[in-house]
Amino acid sequence: MLHDVLLCLTVDQLKSLMRWLPDTTPVGKKDQLIGQILKSFDGDGLHALWDRLDDTQRKAVAEAAYAERGVFDGKRFRAKYGRLPDFTVDEGGRRYSYRGQPTALGLFLYYEAGRYSLPSDLGERLRGFVQEPPPMRLSPVDALPEKIGEKQLIVRRTELDALVDLPVLLRLADQGKIQTSEKTSLPGSATLRLLTEHLANGDFYRPAGGTPEPEVGPLKAFSWPLLLQAAGLVQRNGSKLALSVAGRKALASAPVVVLSAIWSKWLKTNSFDEFSRIDVIKGQKSKGRAMTAVAPRRTVIDEVLRHCPVGAWVGVDDLSRFMEATGRTFEVTNDPWSLYICEPQYGNLGHDGYHDWSILQFRYLLCVLFEYAAALGMVDVAYIEPAGVRDDYRGMWGTDDLEYLSRYDGLMYFRITPLGAYCLGLNEEYVPPPVAPSVRLAVLPSLQVNVVEGRLSIDEVLTLATWAEELAENRWRLDLQRAVGAIEKGLDIGELQVFLNAREDQPLPETVESFIKVAGQQGKALKVLGTALLIDCENEQIASMVAGAKETAGLCLRAGERQLVVRLEHEEKFRGLVRKLGFGVAI
């Protein structure tokens, strides 16, 4: 209630407010001053006081009037409107804190316990003539600019790239060509170069190559091995990644289904903190859990992406303001005093202004969009070289020599792709755009496959390498041993038939059809039914007795004169029955 709030103010504070009430006299005892102020709000007085506020102040009061318990949220307000209202008078260019001389806004919003709030009775009356503020909305961009300042805006459509990249990366893993650190699970420089060469249209930034811009380094090539590990599509084999059972199934599945599953599983993993890629910020691995768990952060970003329009460009700064203004926020660190730039004392992020949303949460948001969502084809991106783009960190100690705070600072716009809408659950169906083959092949009765027009893409080269032996440039021969090996790993040779038919104008020769049929049969000619124990008996008589006994005959098979084979799942039962026959199975 307004009366209760005024009672908590000092006489001097009450007199400061009365300067905005021309019909009052700032003399008398405290209860008399309060009485005069309350009388100024009677009848049309409240409306008259409202009219004295400037536009920004009115918006602040309106937000508080419709907020829970009348609380004014300064962070949300600044994100929504771009600035805070004036709470204190600007005297000679000096800006005072809440302890300075109040503006007329002080008659509505009162400071207590670290926040401003609107008395409940004032809020009730204001809602009678003040409209509820419109909710914060994203503002899609009708057309992208060609340049940002002097820098050319680069636009990358990622959907087709991701659909091509996924099978390429799975095949590279199947061939043991993706290596990561056994300690950190991160790709090394050799793997990053290899993946960059094999990714459709390369990575987002080209190597600096002598230009004055500092080299940003790989983004997609870095994130893909982490995404494959998070989704369980690969497993560690020393320093190399090998396809898991799920990875082999993924090779035979529709890429869009696999990409959606990768995003869903990656959201929940905690194996790697993307913020560590913002490596100018030190202390992230200090004791005491300096950083928050990554899964809740990702979940917030996933949720906010569901509110973005599909197919429309959105500025990353607009998305950031939307998140702050609507309370869709997250924390990056449990203790900003654990983090620093250059030097723990002077460059400590615990200082005021050093751990604001724009420094921590916004940079993390850029990383997730640019390095992960874009790699999966969920968002198209429009970006420039990051050097000198953002200056929000320039006042921080130790940043004088930094060209950028994060390698993601150049990301300016993004848009949700149809593939992204499917992965986010916004659309139940997805029809991938047709991908025209890049070559025309001649498939000969001799099982030779020749490129007669065009150039094989990386994906096409890896597909042929799965089923055929390369004889020379643009010449391959189908190989039964390779084909059987691929089928053993769970691949479907029908993939080869579809691949060849799409690139050969003529029907496939009978010998090739026969090759596909025979390979399909022979690749599955033997099946592993389970794991078994090989048991050696002391002599042939004991082997015969155990194998012929009614109790154990159904649990073992003879394997030579003295050996018995028992399936692993029957071991305990077999041991118990053998003991009843008077024998023991020693290890």
Side-chain angles (χ1 to χ4, degrees), residues 6 53 103 107 116 161 241 317 379 394 407 425 429 468 481 487 567:
L6 294 174
L53 301 176
T103 62
L107 292 165
Y116 286 98
D161 287 355
L241 298 182
D317 295 280
V379 297
R394 286 299 179 191
R407 69 190 78 232
E429 296 181 354
Q481 188 172 341
I487 294 168
R567 292 184 65 166

Side-chain angles (χ1 to χ4, degrees), residues 15-189:
K15 290 180 178 180
S16 295
L17 290 176
M18 294 176 71
R19 63 191 291 192
W20 299 104
L21 305 173
D23 295 333
T24 62
T25 304
V27 293
K29 295 183 179 181
K30 184 175 183 178
D31 58 344
Q32 294 174 321
L33 300 178
I34 291 175
Q36 291 188 72
I37 294 174
L38 291 175
K39 187 175 180 181
S40 298
F41 282 91
D42 288 344
D44 295 334
L46 177 61
H47 210 302
L49 291 174
W50 166 264
D51 289 338
R52 299 195 66 174
L53 301 176
D54 64 31
D55 183 61
T56 305
Q57 291 172 334
R58 290 177 188 171
K59 289 175 179 176
V61 174
E63 291 286 349
Y66 287 90
E68 185 177 357
R69 291 180 296 183
V71 174
F72 172 77
D73 191 317
K75 289 184 178 179
R76 287 196 185 190
F77 186 88
R78 181 163 51 188
K80 184 174 182 178
Y81 297 104
R83 56 159 294 182
L84 289 172
D86 291 330
F87 284 95
T88 55
V89 176
D90 184 359
E91 297 182 0
R94 293 176 296 172
R95 172 58 58 200
Y96 290 87
S97 69
Y98 64 89
R99 292 188 178 90
Q101 292 297 314
T103 62
L105 183 58
L107 292 165
F108 293 85
L109 299 181
Y110 295 85
Y111 192 85
E112 184 180 9
R115 65 185 185 184
Y116 286 98
S117 58
L118 179 72
S120 57
D121 52 343
L122 278 188
E124 184 176 353
R125 291 181 61 191
L126 284 166
R127 288 191 292 272
F129 63 89
V130 175
Q131 292 186 347
E132 183 175 3
M136 175 71 175
R137 300 186 186 280
L138 290 167
S139 302
V141 178
D142 294 330
L144 293 177
E146 291 186 6
K147 292 184 176 182
I148 303 292
E150 297 298 319
K151 296 188 176 186
Q152 187 69 37
L153 188 68
I154 304 168
V155 178
R156 283 287 293 269
R157 293 169 173 80
T158 65
E159 191 171 15
L160 277 176
D161 287 355
L163 294 171
V164 172
D165 287 342
L166 175 63
V168 168
L169 288 156
L170 291 175
R171 293 186 196 283
L172 288 173
D174 191 38
Q175 296 172 13
K177 293 184 178 180
I178 302 180
Q179 291 185 302
T180 58
S181 165
E182 294 186 51
K183 182 178 180 180
T184 65
S185 298
L186 302 180
S189 57

Side-chain angles (χ1 to χ4, degrees), residues 336-337 339 343-356 397:
W337 288 102
L339 307 179
E343 200 275 330
Q345 182 177 355
Y346 298 106
N348 199 290
L349 266 61
H351 297 303
D352 287 344
Y354 280 33
H355 55 271
D356 290 346
W397 191 93

Side-chain angles (χ1 to χ4, degrees), residues 426-493:
L426 300 176
N427 293 338
E428 294 183 0
E429 296 181 354
Y430 172 77
V431 178
V435 180
S438 63
V439 296
R440 188 165 62 86
L441 302 177
V443 184
L444 307 179
S446 62
L447 304 185
Q448 189 166 312
V449 179
N450 297 335
V451 178
V452 295
E453 186 179 305
R455 184 176 181 179
L456 291 167
S457 68
I458 295 296
D459 183 39
E460 289 169 325
V461 169
L462 292 174
T463 299
L464 278 174
T466 301
W467 309 99
E469 177 188 3
E470 187 173 11
L471 303 176
E473 186 177 3
N474 293 330
R475 290 175 55 209
W476 301 73
R477 177 178 285 115
L478 298 178
D479 183 81
L480 183 61
Q481 188 172 341
R482 285 175 181 260
V484 168
I487 294 168
E488 279 184 325
K489 294 176 180 179
L491 300 183
D492 183 0
I493 198 169

Side-chain angles (χ1 to χ4, degrees), residues 175-417:
Q175 296 172 13
K177 293 184 178 180
I178 302 180
Q179 291 185 302
T180 58
S181 165
E182 294 186 51
K183 182 178 180 180
T184 65
S185 298
L186 302 180
S189 57
T191 293
L192 291 173
R193 286 194 298 270
L194 173 73
L195 296 187
T196 299
E197 293 171 0
H198 284 74
L199 289 171
N201 296 311
D203 217 314
F204 294 124
Y205 289 106
R206 309 296 183 189
T211 67
E213 299 282 5
E215 186 166 335
V216 177
L219 300 185
K220 288 201 297 181
F222 182 87
S223 63
W224 263 115
L226 296 172
L227 289 166
L228 295 178
Q229 291 177 80
L233 300 180
V234 294
Q235 57 192 15
R236 181 169 304 289
N237 184 7
S239 64
K240 296 181 179 180
L241 298 182
L243 283 188
S244 64
V245 174
R248 300 199 185 286
K249 291 181 180 178
L251 263 179
S253 303
V256 61
V257 175
V258 181
L259 291 168
S260 178
I262 290 175
W263 176 256
S264 296
K265 292 180 179 179
W266 175 77
L267 289 176
K268 302 172 185 176
T269 60
N270 283 293
S271 56
F272 178 72
D273 187 347
E274 300 78 40
F275 193 84
S276 64
R277 290 275 280 163
I278 305 171
D279 45 22
V280 301
I281 296 180
K282 311 299 183 182
Q284 297 184 41
K285 294 185 179 180
S286 59
K287 295 181 180 180
R289 293 188 62 203
M291 310 305 288
T292 61
V294 293
R297 299 184 219 154
R298 297 172 186 163
T299 299
V300 172
I301 296 174
D302 173 75
E303 191 273 335
V304 81
L305 288 178
R306 298 169 193 266
H307 287 78
C308 296
V310 177
W313 288 105
V314 174
V316 293
D317 295 280
D318 189 33
L319 178 67
S320 177
R321 287 191 295 271
F322 175 78
M323 293 179 70
E324 279 199 280
T326 58
R328 294 176 170 90
T329 58
F330 56 88
E331 295 297 332
V332 166
T333 178
N334 293 308
D335 178 20
W337 288 102
S338 299
L339 307 179
Y340 62 92
I341 294 176
C342 288
E343 200 275 330
Q345 182 177 355
Y346 298 106
N348 199 290
L349 266 61
H351 297 303
D352 287 344
Y354 280 33
H355 55 271
D356 290 346
W357 171 275
S358 67
I359 301 298
L360 299 181
Q361 290 91 332
F362 178 56
R363 261 40 183 228
Y364 181 79
L365 170 66
L366 294 180
C367 173
V368 170
L369 291 175
F370 210 172
E371 199 159 74
Y372 294 86
L376 292 173
M378 296 173 57
V379 297
D380 292 332
V381 286
Y383 55 97
I384 58 179
E385 292 287 343
V389 176
R390 302 184 183 278
D391 60 3
D392 52 350
Y393 63 93
R394 286 299 179 191
M396 299 170 63
W397 191 93
T399 63
D400 292 347
D401 296 331
L402 295 181
E403 295 283 355
Y404 46 75
L405 188 65
S406 83
R407 69 190 78 232
Y408 317 105
D409 282 11
L411 181 61
M412 308 305 292
Y413 303 93
F414 74 96
R415 67 178 174 189
I416 306 293
T417 65

